[in-house]
Amino acid sequence: MAEDREVLRSIWSGQIPICFQLSSEETISFQKPDPVYIMCSRISYFPLVMDKAIKYFSRFVEQSKQQGTDLWIEYEDRPIKWHLPIGLSYDLVNDGTTTLPWNLIVHFDNFPDDKLVRCNNRALIQSLFMSTLKESDTLKHRSQIVSSMQKKEHNQMWHGLQDDKFDQFWKINKKLMEHANNELFRFIPFRIYQPDQPSFTQRPFKPIAESGEYQTLGDLVRFIFPDSFSEFDGEECDIKIVTHGIEPPFSTPLQWMSEHLSYPDNFLHLCAFPKR
């Protein structure tokens, strides 16, 4: 792995200030509870950062709802998916006019089963995280790395993410980013999300083209959205790609992006937007 530790640490340290507010329709108190402000890690998940808000707001809802089994959050009438990293969720709704702190409404009732998967506790998030990590290893290394790890190494990665321990996490994760004998990843683990689409796009894509050249972000966009490039010069694209709140140049090699800009589950989570 051509490691640039400062890039890795910068991605790890990214945060979003979030204002959690209890739904006014669900409070049983005459006085509206104060909002809860939390600096949330971009690479984490809502169930890992919301304990403080849930404990506080549960005092203002009916006792039968205090267990939080129907807990969910929304932004401007749009339910937020629990199983997506926080930074990805924010990037998907940030149309350029979204202000900070990010204002989210917390609900303890009327879970939207038709729009969300129930995944609002740590055990489910851990299971999903490990499943996605194994999938990324299958794409990169034919499952050889994760399957050879001991259970304590899996736990070390999870607790490193859960407890915001960069060194603890990367001590193990670097094994997944290495490529022996100058061999690059077999395929690049990526998922492309669009705000108006219910699911992501994911296809096999190699880091090296048949010509032997490194494939770039632009090559990936052309592969997924072939009609997005100008038919006149073939260079202008009407789509922009955002990850971790930044818009990487289309000339960026995908192998480098996969090694340095992947989320902890080892996937590149990319948001695609039409250019204005």
Side-chain angles (χ1 to χ4, degrees), residues 145-151 153-154 157 172 175-176:
I145 307 301
V146 171
S147 61
S148 66
M149 290 181 179
Q150 299 180 12
K151 180 63 182 273
E153 292 179 299
H154 294 172
M157 288 189 70
I172 307 300
K175 298 179 181 180
L176 292 162

Side-chain angles (χ1 to χ4, degrees), residues 135-167:
E135 182 180 351
S136 67
D137 185 43
T138 299
L139 291 168
K140 291 193 293 185
H141 307 292
R142 295 183 172 84
S143 304
Q144 295 176 354
I145 307 301
V146 171
S147 61
S148 66
M149 290 181 179
Q150 299 180 12
K151 180 63 182 273
K152 66 178 182 180
E153 292 179 299
H154 294 172
N155 290 334
Q156 181 173 333
M157 288 189 70
W158 170 250
H159 287 291
L161 171 62
Q162 177 181 267
D163 302 331
D164 192 23
K165 303 293 185 181
F166 174 84
D167 292 325

Side-chain angles (χ1 to χ4, degrees), residues 54-215:
I54 295 171
K55 183 177 181 180
Y56 172 66
F57 289 139
S58 63
R59 296 180 294 172
F60 298 91
V61 299
E62 294 180 9
Q63 188 172 3
S64 61
K65 304 296 181 184
Q66 291 180 5
Q67 296 301 318
T69 54
D70 284 337
L71 191 75
W72 59 288
I73 52 179
E74 67 166 312
Y75 172 70
E76 294 185 347
D77 299 323
R78 287 175 284 185
I80 300 298
K81 296 178 180 179
W82 291 107
H83 62 283
L84 297 184
I86 294 173
L88 171 59
S89 294
Y90 177 75
D91 289 341
L92 273 171
V93 301
N94 183 13
D95 59 2
T97 64
T98 306
T99 58
L100 293 176
W102 189 18
N103 294 300
L104 298 179
I105 305 299
V106 179
H107 294 268
F108 283 76
D109 200 3
N110 300 315
F111 189 91
D113 288 292
D114 59 329
K115 298 179 180 178
L116 291 181
V117 176
R118 293 178 182 270
C119 192
N120 57 2
N121 65 64
R122 295 188 175 212
L124 286 173
I125 288 293
Q126 181 179 2
S127 177
L128 175 70
F129 171 79
M130 291 306 305
S131 176
T132 310
L133 191 71
K134 291 175 182 178
E135 182 180 351
S136 67
D137 185 43
T138 299
L139 291 168
K140 291 193 293 185
H141 307 292
R142 295 183 172 84
S143 304
Q144 295 176 354
I145 307 301
V146 171
S147 61
S148 66
M149 290 181 179
Q150 299 180 12
K151 180 63 182 273
K152 66 178 182 180
E153 292 179 299
H154 294 172
N155 290 334
Q156 181 173 333
M157 288 189 70
W158 170 250
H159 287 291
L161 171 62
Q162 177 181 267
D163 302 331
D164 192 23
K165 303 293 185 181
F166 174 84
D167 292 325
Q168 176 179 324
F169 177 86
W170 270 98
K171 183 177 181 180
I172 307 300
N173 193 57
K174 67 181 181 180
K175 298 179 181 180
L176 292 162
M177 293 298 179
E178 293 173 344
H179 39 88
N181 302 320
N182 294 321
E183 293 183 3
L184 303 183
F185 298 156
R186 189 167 66 106
F187 296 107
I188 298 293
F190 76 90
R191 290 174 177 174
I192 293 182
Y193 306 76
Q194 297 171 268
D196 57 346
Q197 299 296 324
S199 61
F200 54 77
T201 298
Q202 178 180 335
R203 300 178 192 172
F205 194 80
K206 295 183 178 181
I208 295 290
E210 292 184 1
S211 63
E213 297 180 348
Y214 279 91
Q215 303 249 56

